Protein backbone atom coordinates (compact mmCIF):
# COMPACT_ATOMS: atom_id res chain seq x y z
CA UNK A 1 0.00 0.00 0.00
CA UNK A 2 2.90 2.33 0.68
CA UNK A 3 5.17 1.40 -2.19
CA UNK A 4 4.33 4.11 -4.71
CA UNK A 5 7.28 5.86 -6.32
CA UNK A 6 7.91 9.41 -5.14
CA UNK A 7 7.28 11.09 -8.45
CA UNK A 8 3.49 11.38 -8.55
CA UNK A 9 3.53 12.76 -12.08
CA UNK A 10 5.22 9.61 -13.39
CA UNK A 11 2.68 7.48 -11.56
CA UNK A 12 -0.12 9.45 -13.10
CA UNK A 13 1.26 8.99 -16.61
CA UNK A 14 1.73 5.30 -15.96
CA UNK A 15 -1.82 4.95 -14.64
CA UNK A 16 -3.25 6.94 -17.49
CA UNK A 17 -1.67 4.82 -20.16
CA UNK A 18 -1.92 1.41 -18.52
CA UNK A 19 -5.24 1.27 -16.71
CA UNK A 20 -7.47 -1.50 -17.97
CA UNK A 21 -11.00 -1.99 -16.69
CA UNK A 22 -11.24 -4.44 -13.78
CA UNK A 23 -14.52 -5.76 -15.14
CA UNK A 24 -14.10 -6.04 -18.92
CA UNK A 25 -10.34 -5.67 -19.39
CA UNK A 26 -10.73 -2.92 -22.02
CA UNK A 27 -8.54 0.16 -21.62
CA UNK A 28 -10.41 2.73 -19.53
CA UNK A 29 -8.65 5.69 -21.17
CA UNK A 30 -8.66 7.39 -17.74
CA UNK A 31 -6.85 6.87 -14.44
CA UNK A 32 -9.99 5.03 -13.23
CA UNK A 33 -9.90 1.27 -12.70
CA UNK A 34 -13.31 0.85 -14.34
CA UNK A 35 -14.43 1.94 -17.82
CA UNK A 36 -17.38 4.29 -18.32
CA UNK A 37 -19.73 1.66 -19.86
CA UNK A 38 -19.09 -0.82 -17.01
CA UNK A 39 -19.46 1.97 -14.44
CA UNK A 40 -22.82 3.00 -15.86
CA UNK A 41 -24.07 -0.60 -15.70
CA UNK A 42 -23.40 -0.96 -11.97
CA UNK A 43 -26.60 -1.26 -9.88
CA UNK A 44 -26.67 2.42 -8.85
CA UNK A 45 -29.04 3.00 -5.96
CA UNK A 46 -32.21 4.69 -7.20
CA UNK A 47 -34.85 6.28 -4.98
CA UNK A 48 -34.27 5.33 -1.38
CA UNK A 49 -35.15 6.06 2.26
CA UNK A 50 -33.67 9.41 3.31
CA UNK A 51 -32.41 7.84 6.49
CA UNK A 52 -31.32 4.22 5.92
CA UNK A 53 -30.99 4.22 2.08
CA UNK A 54 -33.43 1.31 1.71
CA UNK A 55 -34.52 1.22 -1.96
CA UNK A 56 -38.03 2.70 -2.24
CA UNK A 57 -40.50 3.33 -5.06
CA UNK A 58 -40.38 7.14 -4.70
CA UNK A 59 -37.78 9.76 -3.89
CA UNK A 60 -37.80 11.96 -0.79
CA UNK A 61 -39.41 9.45 1.59
CA UNK A 62 -38.47 7.82 4.86
CA UNK A 63 -39.21 4.09 5.08
CA UNK A 64 -41.78 2.63 7.48
CA UNK A 65 -39.13 1.04 9.66
CA UNK A 66 -37.22 4.34 10.15
CA UNK A 67 -40.49 6.18 10.86
CA UNK A 68 -41.55 3.61 13.42
CA UNK A 69 -38.18 3.30 15.12
CA UNK A 70 -35.72 6.01 14.00
CA UNK A 71 -32.18 4.60 13.88
CA UNK A 72 -29.41 6.17 15.97
CA UNK A 73 -27.56 7.14 12.78
CA UNK A 74 -28.63 10.18 10.79
CA UNK A 75 -28.03 9.14 7.21
CA UNK A 76 -26.67 6.29 5.11
CA UNK A 77 -24.73 7.07 1.94
CA UNK A 78 -24.33 4.14 -0.46
CA UNK A 79 -23.65 4.24 -4.20
CA UNK A 80 -25.19 0.87 -5.05
CA UNK A 81 -27.93 -1.58 -4.35
CA UNK A 82 -26.47 -4.92 -3.33
CA UNK A 83 -26.91 -6.71 -6.66
CA UNK A 84 -24.82 -8.04 -9.55
CA UNK A 85 -21.98 -7.38 -10.10
CA UNK A 86 -21.39 -5.36 -6.89
CA UNK A 87 -22.29 -8.39 -4.74
CA UNK A 88 -19.57 -10.49 -6.36
CA UNK A 89 -17.05 -7.62 -6.33
CA UNK A 90 -17.63 -7.14 -2.60
CA UNK A 91 -17.39 -10.87 -2.00
CA UNK A 92 -14.10 -11.15 -3.89
CA UNK A 93 -12.72 -8.12 -2.05
CA UNK A 94 -13.75 -9.56 1.31
CA UNK A 95 -13.27 -13.28 0.97
CA UNK A 96 -10.50 -13.49 -1.61
CA UNK A 97 -8.63 -10.35 -0.55
CA UNK A 98 -9.02 -8.85 -4.01
CA UNK A 99 -7.95 -5.36 -3.02
CA UNK A 100 -8.09 -3.71 -6.47
CA UNK A 101 -11.87 -4.33 -6.47
CA UNK A 102 -12.09 -2.77 -3.02
CA UNK A 103 -10.01 0.23 -4.04
CA UNK A 104 -12.05 0.79 -7.18
CA UNK A 105 -15.31 0.74 -5.22
CA UNK A 106 -13.84 2.98 -2.50
CA UNK A 107 -12.82 5.44 -5.22
CA UNK A 108 -16.38 5.57 -6.61
CA UNK A 109 -17.83 5.90 -3.09
CA UNK A 110 -15.44 8.79 -2.40
CA UNK A 111 -16.57 10.48 -5.63
CA UNK A 112 -20.20 10.17 -4.54
CA UNK A 113 -19.34 11.57 -1.10
CA UNK A 114 -17.46 14.51 -2.58
CA UNK A 115 -20.52 15.27 -4.68
CA UNK A 116 -22.81 14.94 -1.67
CA UNK A 117 -20.57 17.24 0.42
CA UNK A 118 -20.74 19.83 -2.37
CA UNK A 119 -24.53 19.47 -2.31
CA UNK A 120 -24.63 20.26 1.41
CA UNK A 121 -24.18 16.95 3.26
CA UNK A 122 -22.13 17.90 6.35
CA UNK A 123 -18.56 16.56 6.29
CA UNK A 124 -17.80 14.37 9.29
CA UNK A 125 -14.86 15.06 11.62
CA UNK A 126 -13.72 11.43 11.58
CA UNK A 127 -14.23 8.11 9.85
CA UNK A 128 -14.66 4.99 12.03
CA UNK A 129 -14.58 1.54 10.43
CA UNK A 130 -17.03 -1.05 11.73
CA UNK A 131 -14.87 -3.46 13.77
CA UNK A 132 -14.63 -7.11 12.85
CA UNK A 133 -14.89 -9.86 15.47
CA UNK A 134 -11.43 -11.06 16.50
CA UNK A 135 -12.04 -14.56 15.20
CA UNK A 136 -13.14 -13.21 11.82
CA UNK A 137 -10.14 -10.93 11.70
CA UNK A 138 -7.88 -13.92 12.35
CA UNK A 139 -9.56 -15.97 9.64
CA UNK A 140 -9.58 -13.20 7.06
CA UNK A 141 -6.34 -11.46 7.98
CA UNK A 142 -7.78 -8.00 7.40
CA UNK A 143 -10.86 -5.92 8.13
CA UNK A 144 -12.43 -4.85 4.85
CA UNK A 145 -14.16 -1.90 6.55
CA UNK A 146 -10.83 -0.66 7.94
CA UNK A 147 -9.34 -0.76 4.43
CA UNK A 148 -12.32 1.12 3.02
CA UNK A 149 -12.04 3.73 5.79
CA UNK A 150 -8.32 4.17 5.08
CA UNK A 151 -8.89 4.63 1.34
CA UNK A 152 -11.79 7.04 1.92
CA UNK A 153 -9.68 8.94 4.43
CA UNK A 154 -6.86 9.35 1.89
CA UNK A 155 -9.19 10.51 -0.85
CA UNK A 156 -11.48 12.77 1.19
CA UNK A 157 -8.81 14.10 3.59
CA UNK A 158 -10.94 13.17 6.58
CA UNK A 159 -8.98 11.54 9.41
CA UNK A 160 -9.83 8.00 10.48
CA UNK A 161 -9.74 6.32 13.88
CA UNK A 162 -9.57 2.58 13.27
CA UNK A 163 -9.26 1.58 16.93
CA UNK A 164 -11.98 3.58 18.67
CA UNK A 165 -14.69 0.99 18.16
CA UNK A 166 -14.11 -2.39 19.73
CA UNK A 167 -15.82 -5.73 19.41
CA UNK A 168 -14.89 -7.37 22.70
CA UNK A 169 -17.48 -10.14 22.55
CA UNK A 170 -17.47 -12.90 19.99
CA UNK A 171 -20.81 -12.82 18.22
CA UNK A 172 -22.01 -15.75 16.13
CA UNK A 173 -22.06 -15.12 12.39
CA UNK A 174 -24.88 -12.76 11.46
CA UNK A 175 -25.60 -14.37 8.12
CA UNK A 176 -28.95 -16.09 7.92
CA UNK A 177 -30.27 -14.61 11.16
CA UNK A 178 -33.50 -12.65 11.43
CA UNK A 179 -33.32 -8.92 12.10
CA UNK A 180 -34.49 -9.53 15.66
CA UNK A 181 -31.83 -12.14 16.32
CA UNK A 182 -29.15 -9.83 14.89
CA UNK A 183 -30.31 -7.01 17.17
CA UNK A 184 -30.12 -9.28 20.20
CA UNK A 185 -26.62 -10.45 19.29
CA UNK A 186 -25.31 -6.99 18.56
CA UNK A 187 -26.73 -5.09 21.51
CA UNK A 188 -23.80 -5.85 23.75
CA UNK A 189 -21.19 -6.80 21.18
CA UNK A 190 -19.52 -3.39 20.82
CA UNK A 191 -17.60 -1.03 23.09
CA UNK A 192 -15.83 2.31 22.87
CA UNK A 193 -12.06 2.28 23.35
CA UNK A 194 -10.93 4.15 26.49
CA UNK A 195 -9.02 6.67 24.36
CA UNK A 196 -12.01 7.43 22.10
CA UNK A 197 -13.03 11.09 22.19
CA UNK A 198 -16.39 11.24 20.52
CA UNK A 199 -18.06 13.99 22.52
CA UNK A 200 -19.58 16.70 20.32
CA UNK A 201 -18.15 15.16 17.17
CA UNK A 202 -19.69 14.29 13.85
CA UNK A 203 -18.62 10.75 13.00
CA UNK A 204 -19.12 8.52 9.98
CA UNK A 205 -19.14 4.74 10.27
CA UNK A 206 -17.63 2.89 7.32
CA UNK A 207 -18.83 -0.57 6.33
CA UNK A 208 -18.95 -2.67 3.17
CA UNK A 209 -22.64 -3.57 2.99
CA UNK A 210 -25.63 -2.36 5.00
CA UNK A 211 -28.11 -5.22 5.40
CA UNK A 212 -30.62 -4.67 8.22
CA UNK A 213 -28.79 -1.67 9.62
CA UNK A 214 -28.65 -3.35 13.04
CA UNK A 215 -24.86 -3.16 13.32
CA UNK A 216 -24.79 0.49 12.26
CA UNK A 217 -27.66 1.33 14.60
CA UNK A 218 -25.97 -0.29 17.60
CA UNK A 219 -22.63 1.38 16.91
CA UNK A 220 -24.32 4.73 16.36
CA UNK A 221 -26.23 4.31 19.60
CA UNK A 222 -22.98 3.61 21.44
CA UNK A 223 -21.37 6.72 19.91
CA UNK A 224 -24.38 8.92 20.64
CA UNK A 225 -24.41 7.63 24.22
CA UNK A 226 -20.76 8.73 24.38
CA UNK A 227 -21.82 12.23 23.35
CA UNK A 228 -21.33 12.15 19.56
CA UNK A 229 -23.25 14.98 17.91
CA UNK A 230 -24.09 13.06 14.76
CA UNK A 231 -23.35 9.68 13.20
CA UNK A 232 -23.63 8.92 9.48
CA UNK A 233 -22.93 5.66 7.68
CA UNK A 234 -20.91 5.28 4.49
CA UNK A 235 -21.05 1.92 2.77
CA UNK A 236 -20.62 0.42 -0.69
CA UNK A 237 -24.03 -1.17 -1.02
CA UNK A 238 -27.47 -1.35 0.54
CA UNK A 239 -29.52 -4.53 0.39
CA UNK A 240 -33.13 -4.21 -0.72
CA UNK A 241 -35.89 -5.46 1.58
CA UNK A 242 -35.64 -9.27 1.76
CA UNK A 243 -39.35 -9.78 0.97
CA UNK A 244 -38.94 -7.99 -2.36
CA UNK A 245 -39.02 -4.35 -3.37
CA UNK A 246 -42.57 -3.57 -2.21
ZN1 LIG B 1 -15.26 -2.14 -18.49
ZN1 LIG C 1 -35.27 3.77 6.32
Amino acid sequence: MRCQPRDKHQVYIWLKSNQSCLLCDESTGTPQAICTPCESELPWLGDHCLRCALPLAMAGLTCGQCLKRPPAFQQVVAPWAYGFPVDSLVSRFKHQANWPYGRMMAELLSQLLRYRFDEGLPRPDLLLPVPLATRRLRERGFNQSALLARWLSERLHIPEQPHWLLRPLETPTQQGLSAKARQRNLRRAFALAPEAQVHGRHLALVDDVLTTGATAHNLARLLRAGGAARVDVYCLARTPKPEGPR
Side-chain angles (χ1 to χ4, degrees):
M1 307 310 304
R2 302 273 179 219
C3 57
Q4 290 197 342
R6 287 218 176 83
D7 189 340
K8 283 197 174 141
H9 188 61
Q10 286 296 327
V11 174
Y12 179 75
I13 290 170
W14 181 85
L15 281 172
K16 203 170 165 68
S17 52
N18 285 277
Q19 200 65 251
S20 54
C21 176
L22 285 174
L23 301 193
C24 72
D25 228 22
E26 295 284 321
S27 167
T28 65
T30 68
Q32 295 246 85
I34 182 170
C35 74
T36 311
C38 286
E39 189 185 327
S40 67
E41 281 175 22
L42 293 176
W44 294 95
L45 194 65
D47 295 335
H48 55 267
C49 170
L50 293 173
R51 197 94 188 235
C52 75
L54 183 77
L56 292 177
M58 282 167 69
L61 298 178
T62 303
C63 77
Q65 180 73 27
C66 288
L67 283 175
K68 207 160 61 184
R69 219 172 297 153
F73 53 78
Q74 191 62 36
Q75 203 174 346
V76 174
V77 178
W80 303 293
Y82 192 57
F84 185 80
V86 166
D87 50 0
S88 79
L89 297 177
V90 168
S91 167
R92 280 188 244 178
F93 166 46
K94 235 162 107 162
H95 302 295
Q96 297 169 22
N98 191 317
W99 291 12
Y101 285 161
R103 280 198 91 103
M104 181 269 285
M105 292 187 286
E107 172 62 37
L108 294 176
L109 171 57
S110 73
Q111 285 175 17
L112 172 67
L113 283 164
R114 241 177 264 136
Y115 171 78
R116 298 289 301 275
F117 295 150
D118 287 347
E119 295 275 290
L121 181 78
R123 270 175 76 94
D125 301 314
L126 287 166
L127 303 174
L128 306 180
V130 168
L132 205 61
T134 320
R135 186 170 47 82
R136 284 292 194 76
L137 193 58
R138 267 203 304 269
E139 284 165 9
R140 199 170 291 169
F142 67 99
N143 175 357
Q144 72 280 359
S145 303
L147 283 179
L148 289 172
R150 189 200 298 167
W151 293 329
L152 288 181
S153 167
E154 285 168 6
R155 282 164 175 75
L156 299 169
H157 307 292
I158 299 170
E160 51 150 356
Q161 283 294 350
H163 307 297
W164 279 10
L165 292 170
L166 308 173
R167 202 160 191 164
L169 295 177
E170 293 291 338
T171 42
T173 177
Q174 295 292 88
Q175 261 163 20
L177 293 182
S178 70
K180 247 193 191 126
R182 280 176 184 234
Q183 263 305 346
R184 217 175 22 239
N185 272 343
L186 289 170
R187 199 157 293 147
R188 290 183 304 266
F190 301 108
L192 269 181
E195 72 271 22
Q197 293 172 8
V198 301
H199 192 85
R201 290 183 133 156
H202 176 188
L203 307 163
L205 293 167
V206 178
D207 206 357
D208 53 347
V209 179
L210 194 85
T211 306
T212 62
T215 300
H217 167 70
N218 279 283
L219 285 168
R221 196 162 63 165
L222 184 69
L223 293 165
R224 295 296 304 275
R230 170 177 172 142
V231 181
D232 290 326
V233 183
Y234 303 157
C235 61
L236 298 174
R238 175 66 164 109
T239 55
K241 231 182 167 146
E243 302 83 47
R246 276 170 289 287

